[in-house]
């Protein structure tokens, strides 16, 4: 149950990013270039990257000892 909610949220966020990218290209009357195709493909990675950065910011201080401070 939880997995389906997480996957659905991931797909929804990815779809919104893809839609925004597609609409930007449509608004400037841009053709289907390699850069635009790569941008659309990269849209599916943004939610994963945001999740990784968030988890790193939350978990890193708890999991890593303070190496720089010795007394």
């Amino acid at each position: 149950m939880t997995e389906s909610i997480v996957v659905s949220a991931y797909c929804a966020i990815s779809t919104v990013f893809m839609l925004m990218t597609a609409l930007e290209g449509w608004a400037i009357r841009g053709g289907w270039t390699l850069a635009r195709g790569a941008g659309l493909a990269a849209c599916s990675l943004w939610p994963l990257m945001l999740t990784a950065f968030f988890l790193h910011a939350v978990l890193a201080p708890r999991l890593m000892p303070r190496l720089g401070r010795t007394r």
Side-chain angles (χ1 to χ4, degrees), residues 5-69:
I5 293 172
V6 170
V7 170
S8 296
Y10 184 88
C11 289
I13 293 169
S14 179
T15 301
V16 168
F17 286 150
M18 284 182 171
L19 181 63
M20 294 290 290
T21 303
L23 288 175
E24 286 174 358
W26 177 75
I28 63 169
R29 305 277 193 246
W32 287 99
T33 62
L34 181 62
R36 188 169 175 199
L40 284 172
C43 288
S44 63
L45 299 176
W46 279 106
L48 183 62
M49 291 173 50
L50 289 174
T51 302
F53 288 138
F54 177 74
L55 287 176
H56 175 71
V58 171
L59 297 177
R62 295 179 186 169
L63 297 176
M64 294 176 52
R66 294 184 184 201
L67 298 175
R69 296 185 181 184

